[in-house]
Amino acid sequence: MNRAFSRKKDKTWMHTPEALSKHYIPYNAKFLGSTEVEQPKGTEVVRDAVRKLKFARHIKKSEGQKTPKVELQISIYGVKILEPKTKEVQHNCQLHRISFCADDKTDKRIFTFICKDSESNKHLCYVFDSEKCAEEITLTIGQAFDLAYRKFLESGGKDVETRKQIAGLQKRIQELETENTELRNKVQDLENQLRITQISTSPAASMAPKLPSTDIFDMVPFSPITPQSSTPTRNGTQPPPVPSRSTEIKRDLFGAEPFDPFNCGAGDFPPDIQSKLDEMQEGFKMGLTLEGTVFCLDPLDSRC
């Protein structure tokens, strides 16, 4: 693709920024598959991957298997690969993980991109048959990358320090809540000890006559001043103890369960904010290469 993209040049994009920012651009294509590659960029790399997948698809076709159709949804949030009828997402490739995108000059239907897998961190090459609109899809991915990069700089990239400060404050609130709970428990224990001391030293307890251990029927006599805590229940068991205050659910200053950024369930909170931003920054710094032309903006702001 003989187009050089530069922030300082005027670019004529195919779609409005709103279409890619607030919605997505759909394309129908046939999915030849994906295969692992050794490098994140390179024409020879994708050429070998296309040959490999075309050969594998030819074998499957001879066995009566059809090439599956998919729907591509391109936006600033990535490239989604869906089943056309059920809309089930088969792959979700984030733009900062896409490092290379190209269309085949000898076959206007074939286009491909390399994306780093989020779980294995391996580079995978995805190959599609797009019914003679390969170049348009390639440019659309380039435009989405451009907009996503700008959005990252305007929002997430400049919020790193702010988010780190928020995380630090939330951790401090958690520590204060823990200290507050411990102090409340200590105060409760002291109140209980004081109450027991007052009961044992009260005049009524010291002046009470000593009664015989048993009466004439060999029964333990009834004492109206017997402490309630020592009186057995009908079945002979002791009454249940008063629950400790330590069982209370820990709450923050706003009545909600406090947030601990260093100890949270995978389903409760998103991944670590700083590592996610670092990953996006690294991906955008690498840039997106369109058929040998590096597509990226100016270097990231040093404050990010």
Side-chain angles (χ1 to χ4, degrees), residues 136-196:
E136 179 180 340
I137 297 176
T138 302
L139 291 175
T140 302
I141 293 177
Q143 182 182 3
F145 187 93
D146 180 23
L147 294 172
Y149 195 173
R150 295 174 185 272
K151 185 176 179 65
F152 174 75
L153 291 177
E154 293 172 358
S155 57
K158 294 183 179 179
D159 288 345
V160 175
E161 291 301 324
T162 301
R163 296 188 187 191
K164 288 172 64 176
Q165 291 176 7
I166 291 176
L169 290 174
Q170 290 171 329
K171 183 173 182 290
R172 181 55 181 160
I173 290 175
Q174 170 68 25
E175 294 172 350
L176 291 174
E177 284 295 322
T178 301
E179 294 176 4
N180 192 25
T181 300
E182 293 175 353
L183 290 174
R184 285 202 303 265
N185 292 337
K186 290 181 180 179
V187 170
Q188 183 65 38
D189 292 340
L190 291 174
E191 290 178 351
N192 293 337
Q193 293 178 9
L194 180 61
R195 189 178 300 109
I196 293 173

Side-chain angles (χ1 to χ4, degrees), residues 29-287:
K30 292 181 180 180
F31 186 31
L32 275 67
S34 63
T35 184
E36 182 182 353
V37 293
E38 296 296 331
Q39 301 295 331
K41 297 176 184 288
T43 304
E44 288 298 325
V45 174
V46 297
R47 185 174 295 156
D48 291 341
V50 170
R51 288 198 194 102
K52 178 180 178 180
L53 290 173
K54 275 187 174 182
F55 180 77
R57 182 54 54 187
H58 180 73
I59 297 298
K60 292 181 179 180
K61 189 175 181 180
S62 65
E63 296 174 351
Q65 298 184 28
K66 295 183 179 180
T67 304
K69 295 181 179 179
V70 295
E71 177 182 332
L72 299 175
Q73 294 182 355
I74 304 173
S75 70
I76 62 172
Y77 302 103
V79 179
K80 287 185 179 180
I81 305 173
L82 303 90
E83 203 287 326
K85 294 182 179 179
T86 63
K87 302 300 181 182
E88 179 182 357
V89 178
Q90 299 177 352
H91 304 277
N92 187 9
C93 304
Q94 296 174 308
L95 288 176
H96 68 273
R97 290 181 170 271
I98 299 178
S99 54
F100 191 87
C101 185
D103 54 276
D104 193 337
K105 297 308 175 186
T106 61
D107 188 344
K108 296 295 185 180
R109 301 175 305 172
I110 300 298
F111 90 95
T112 178
F113 63 80
I114 298 176
C115 181
K116 189 176 183 181
D117 184 69
S118 59
E119 297 182 359
S120 65
N121 281 333
K122 296 179 179 179
H123 296 286
L124 301 178
C125 184
Y126 295 79
V127 181
F128 303 86
D129 184 328
S130 58
E131 297 296 334
K132 297 183 180 181
C133 59
E135 184 175 2
E136 179 180 340
I137 297 176
T138 302
L139 291 175
T140 302
I141 293 177
Q143 182 182 3
F145 187 93
D146 180 23
L147 294 172
Y149 195 173
R150 295 174 185 272
K151 185 176 179 65
F152 174 75
L153 291 177
E154 293 172 358
S155 57
K158 294 183 179 179
D159 288 345
V160 175
E161 291 301 324
T162 301
R163 296 188 187 191
K164 288 172 64 176
Q165 291 176 7
I166 291 176
L169 290 174
Q170 290 171 329
K171 183 173 182 290
R172 181 55 181 160
I173 290 175
Q174 170 68 25
E175 294 172 350
L176 291 174
E177 284 295 322
T178 301
E179 294 176 4
N180 192 25
T181 300
E182 293 175 353
L183 290 174
R184 285 202 303 265
N185 292 337
K186 290 181 180 179
V187 170
Q188 183 65 38
D189 292 340
L190 291 174
E191 290 178 351
N192 293 337
Q193 293 178 9
L194 180 61
R195 189 178 300 109
I196 293 173
T197 303
Q198 290 176 343
I199 292 175
S200 61
T201 58
S202 62
S206 60
M207 296 176 62
K210 295 184 178 180
L211 298 176
S213 59
T214 58
D215 58 14
I216 59 176
F217 300 104
D218 200 24
M219 299 289 290
V220 177
F222 170 74
S223 176
I225 62 173
T226 301
Q228 184 177 1
S229 61
S230 63
T231 303
T233 58
R234 291 183 179 181
N235 58 7
T237 61
Q238 292 293 332
V242 178
S244 173
R245 294 179 62 92
S246 62
T247 59
E248 294 179 355
I249 299 177
K250 296 179 180 180
R251 304 282 179 176
D252 62 16
L253 301 178
F254 305 99
E257 294 186 21
F259 168 75
D260 185 355
F262 301 100
N263 184 20
C264 61
D268 299 329
F269 301 100
D272 179 68
I273 296 174
Q274 182 59 45
S275 63
K276 183 65 176 178
L277 289 172
D278 290 344
E279 176 197 330
M280 294 181 68
Q281 178 172 302
E282 180 182 356
F284 282 126
K285 266 188 175 181
M286 180 180 290

